[in-house]
């Protein structure tokens, strides 16, 4: 379960249930849904593992180096 804000949508994609961060009732509803649905919990868990694979330290280093090189080429 994640707040429906841009940065979390970018990171989590479809591996979570989003809720309005200003709506406690919606958060509660989503917690109850996950507590009672083994199928949904398993599905989101599998999606989360696949999603996390995109965020390795190696990928971060490659992307950071590419950003630095791009900046250096512009100067």
């Amino acid at each position: 379960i994640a707040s429906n804000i841009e940065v979390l949508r970018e990171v989590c994609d479809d591996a979570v249930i989003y809720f309005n961060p200003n709506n406690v009732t919606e958060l509660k509803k989503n917690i109850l849904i996950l507590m009672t649905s083994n199928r949904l919990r398993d599905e989101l868990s599998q999606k989360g593992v696949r999603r996390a694979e995109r965020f390795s330290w190696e990928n971060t280093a490659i992307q950071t180096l590419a950003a630095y090189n791009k900046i250096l080429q512009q100067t």
Side-chain angles (χ1 to χ4, degrees):
I1 299 172
S3 292
N4 192 3
I5 59 174
E6 186 174 343
V7 67
L8 292 181
R9 287 190 308 268
E10 181 180 336
V11 172
C12 300
D13 197 37
D14 67 343
V16 300
I17 296 175
Y18 292 100
F19 71 96
N20 178 335
N22 300 309
N23 187 330
V24 175
T25 303
E26 191 175 336
L27 172 59
K28 178 183 172 183
K29 178 190 82 164
N30 288 332
I31 290 171
L32 291 173
I33 288 170
L34 279 180
M35 287 176 63
T36 59
S37 176
N38 292 335
R39 181 198 57 79
L40 181 58
R41 245 188 351 266
D42 290 345
E43 177 186 328
L44 293 178
S45 178
Q46 291 170 10
K47 285 181 178 182
V49 169
R50 287 193 302 271
R51 188 76 182 146
E53 290 170 353
R54 298 187 63 201
F55 298 100
S56 70
W57 283 111
E58 183 178 356
N59 286 341
T60 300
I62 290 168
Q63 291 176 3
T64 302
L65 181 59
Y68 289 159
N69 285 331
K70 183 176 179 181
I71 291 168
L72 289 173
Q73 291 173 357
Q74 294 174 355
T75 58

